[in-house]
């Protein structure tokens, strides 16, 4: 299973120092103006510490927001911050991309997939983390990426999905010996 170890970095240019990476701390700013509400996710520049706001909700009536969502915003729920960072609508609206480098790890069941004849292996994602399957297979089997590429070309590793491109959804592959 591929699990996140921290929130991904936000790729966006800092207006103060020109750096291109921001760290999301999971803090929200909620501002109400009469019956309308604005919500931003606060992110900090990794170089200078400058705060930037990512728009989550803009000029929305308070009654249209579910009470449990409003409570999570007021409580600065880090799980909600992770959900919103991965929301394609929030990414498009704020013109950001996510940097998942060193923000995930692979958890295996401990068995050696190279022991048997042909083994079908399922890879599950706890979050939508875009990773190349070749990298996951190499890490999970204790092989180099070049060895995994060679096994794919030899037909020893087969899958219904393209193993050379990034995936963020569950997939299975078969390892033949």
């Amino acid at each position: 299973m591929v699990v996140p170890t921290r929130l991904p970095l936000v790729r966006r240019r800092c207006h103060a120092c020109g750096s291109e990476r921001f760290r999301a701390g999971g803090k929200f700013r909620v501002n109400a103006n009469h019956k309308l509400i604005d919500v931003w996710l606060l992110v900090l520049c990794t170089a200078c510490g400058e705060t930037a706001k990512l728009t989550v909700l803009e000029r929305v009536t308070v009654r249209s927001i579910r009470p449990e969502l409003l409570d999570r915003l007021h409580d600065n729920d880090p799980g909600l911050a992770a959900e919103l960072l991965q929301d394609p609508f929030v990414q498009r609206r704020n013109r950001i991309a996510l940097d998942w480098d060193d923000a995930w790890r692979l958890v295996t069941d401990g068995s050696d997939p190279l022991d048997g004849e042909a083994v079908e292996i399922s890879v599950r994602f706890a979050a939508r983390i875009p990773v190349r399957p070749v990298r996951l297979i190499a890490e999970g089997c204790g092989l180099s990426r070049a060895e995994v590429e060679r096994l794919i070309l030899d037909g020893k590793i087969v899958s219904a999905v393209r193993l050379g491109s990034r995936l963020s959804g569950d997939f299975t592959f078969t390892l033949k010996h």
Side-chain angles (χ1 to χ4, degrees), residues 37-98:
I37 193 166
D38 295 313
V39 177
W40 298 278
L41 175 62
L42 302 177
V43 292
L44 301 172
C45 177
T46 56
C48 68
E50 183 74 19
T51 301
K53 298 185 294 189
L54 302 179
T55 303
V56 176
L57 298 173
E58 191 171 40
R59 299 287 175 208
V60 177
T61 58
V62 177
R63 289 181 185 251
S64 68
I65 301 174
R66 296 185 326 270
E68 58 273 2
L69 175 61
L70 202 52
D71 289 341
R72 289 177 75 189
L73 290 168
H74 285 299
D75 293 340
N76 291 319
D77 184 359
L80 179 60
E83 290 172 30
L84 291 172
L85 278 175
Q86 294 180 45
D87 184 354
F89 179 73
V90 172
Q91 290 179 14
R92 268 193 315 274
R93 170 184 251 176
N94 293 285
R95 295 185 187 100
I96 62 169
L98 300 180

Side-chain angles (χ1 to χ4, degrees), residues 115-167:
D115 280 350
E117 283 295 315
V119 181
E120 185 168 309
I121 300 171
S122 295
V123 179
R124 304 279 176 244
F125 286 82
R128 289 189 316 241
I129 304 170
V131 181
R132 293 188 190 282
V134 170
R135 182 174 178 189
L136 292 176
I137 295 168
E139 192 172 313
C141 296
L143 302 169
S144 71
R145 283 191 237 175
E147 288 176 288
V148 172
E149 295 279 355
R150 185 180 48 77
L151 290 171
I152 291 171
L153 289 175
D154 292 344
K156 304 244 182 202
I157 296 177
V158 293
S159 178
V161 298
R162 288 190 52 213
L163 298 175
S165 61
R166 290 181 183 261
L167 291 176

Side-chain angles (χ1 to χ4, degrees), residues 95-117:
R95 295 185 187 100
I96 62 169
L98 300 180
D99 182 0
W100 281 99
D101 290 346
D102 301 324
W104 59 271
R105 66 184 169 88
L106 181 65
V107 178
T108 60
D109 62 0
S111 63
D112 187 7
L114 301 175
D115 280 350
E117 283 295 315

Side-chain angles (χ1 to χ4, degrees), residues 5-23:
T5 56
R6 62 170 170 79
L7 290 175
L9 294 177
V10 175
R11 291 179 41 203
R12 174 183 173 169
R13 189 163 180 81
C14 178
H15 68 82
C17 72
S19 172
E20 303 231 349
R21 301 277 189 267
F22 283 82
R23 181 180 62 254

